Amino acid sequence: MIESKKLQFSVGDRALLADFSMTFEPGKIYALVGHNGSGKSTLLKLLAQQQKPTGGEIFLENKSISSWSTKKFAQQVAYLPQQTPSTDSLSGKDLVSFGRYPWHGLLGRLNSDDKKHIDDAMVLTDTTAYADRLVDTLSGGERQRLWLAMLIAQKTQYLLLDEPLSALDVAHQIDMLNLIKKLSRELNLGVIIVIHDINMAARFCDHIVALHSGKMIASDSAEAIFSAEQLKKIYGIDMHISRHPAGYPVAMPY
């Protein structure tokens, strides 16, 4: 599991994250919600070792992440940033193959085991049809599936996803979240996802973590989070709560 204890991150005298303590378990999807600037992406970068905390500590499998080598850490935790790197002249299969780098290094050759993991990841994410297509010619939803396939090929225990739905229309957002939920269940993956839509979080995620001004103000199931008082604390507006016929709560601003 990933555990943070009194995690802090400050720039000068400004605290972007303060006193954050939380345990993230495999096999569950955790949504990070809150207004812009609440600390969601900062938290994800700290958990992914993209930034170093200015206070507190993070543990992976009961060992401080500072004691993990970069390679060994990347074999356990995969991170997809909000702004993905350029994919100029890359085919779909080329992109997915990057997920194997933590296992053999940038200069290592792909062996038969690597190729199997790449093929399996593309089957699991239904991206085999894009294997020979240039990534830049694909739609936003197709590209996001390939990025997800790359993370699956990495064979980690955790996926950290920073706003993977931001450039997608509603249909593709639902498609992507259905896929993430399916993979989490089938592969026992812990998924921590930054998501803006609280209703999508309630529909697809097991646990919601709400941040405000760098502090965690709520951490619970969707059922517990969806109260008028709690949602007003998170978003600062009054919201009406109803129930979707499928069984999950839905919030709408008054």
Side-chain angles (χ1 to χ4, degrees), residues 208-240:
I208 297 176
V209 180
L211 296 165
H212 194 290
S213 303
K215 294 183 179 179
M216 181 168 67
I217 59 171
S219 174
D220 216 322
S221 65
E223 296 293 339
I225 294 289
F226 270 63
S227 71
E229 180 182 1
Q230 193 73 271
L231 291 177
K232 186 165 186 178
K233 280 174 61 180
I234 297 170
Y235 293 106
I237 57 174
D238 292 316
M239 301 185 86
H240 171 73

Side-chain angles (χ1 to χ4, degrees), residues 18-223:
D19 199 29
F20 185 92
S21 298
M22 177 85 190
T23 298
F24 300 96
E25 300 175 3
K28 291 186 178 181
I29 304 176
Y30 298 84
L32 303 182
V33 304
H35 63 79
N36 290 339
S38 60
K40 305 183 299 296
S41 292
T42 297
L43 172 60
L44 211 66
K45 287 175 183 175
L46 294 174
L47 297 176
Q49 281 200 301
Q50 299 298 302
Q51 292 175 331
K52 291 187 177 181
T54 54
E57 206 161 359
I58 303 169
F59 298 88
L60 174 64
E61 302 303 327
N62 298 314
K63 289 170 51 182
S64 172
I65 64 170
S66 61
S67 68
W68 287 75
S69 70
T70 301
K71 182 177 179 180
K72 289 294 184 184
F73 184 80
Q75 292 173 3
Q76 294 292 320
V77 178
Y79 170 64
L80 186 65
Q82 193 173 340
Q83 299 295 327
T84 53
S86 171
T87 54
D88 289 348
S89 302
L90 284 179
S91 71
K93 196 160 192 174
D94 289 338
L95 177 57
V96 178
S97 70
F98 289 164
R100 298 307 300 162
Y101 283 169
W103 296 90
H104 57 69
L106 286 172
L107 301 178
R109 294 193 174 205
L110 295 175
N111 59 33
S112 59
D113 191 47
D114 293 317
K115 291 174 182 176
K116 182 180 185 307
H117 288 310
I118 292 165
D119 290 341
D120 288 349
M122 297 190 79
V123 169
L124 284 167
T125 55
D126 194 22
T127 53
T128 52
Y130 315 138
D132 298 319
R133 297 270 305 276
L134 289 177
V135 176
D136 288 349
T137 67
L138 300 173
S139 71
E142 291 165 344
R143 287 196 300 270
Q144 284 299 79
R145 275 182 169 261
L146 279 171
W147 283 109
L148 188 58
M150 183 195 75
L151 302 188
I152 297 301
Q154 200 169 324
K155 294 296 287 183
T156 61
Q157 195 172 20
Y158 288 92
L159 305 183
L160 311 185
L161 311 174
D162 195 353
E163 296 192 40
L165 312 177
S166 60
L168 304 181
D169 59 40
V170 173
H172 283 102
Q173 288 180 24
I174 292 172
D175 180 59
M176 181 61 63
L177 286 170
N178 271 318
L179 178 58
I180 289 168
K181 187 170 185 176
K182 174 176 175 284
L183 293 171
S184 174
R185 299 295 186 261
E186 290 181 1
L187 304 177
N188 196 38
L189 292 171
V191 180
I192 308 171
I193 179 171
V194 174
I195 187 168
H196 279 291
D197 190 328
I198 189 72
N199 293 318
M200 290 288 196
R203 179 174 174 180
F204 292 100
C205 301
D206 302 297
H207 196 100
I208 297 176
V209 180
L211 296 165
H212 194 290
S213 303
K215 294 183 179 179
M216 181 168 67
I217 59 171
S219 174
D220 216 322
S221 65
E223 296 293 339

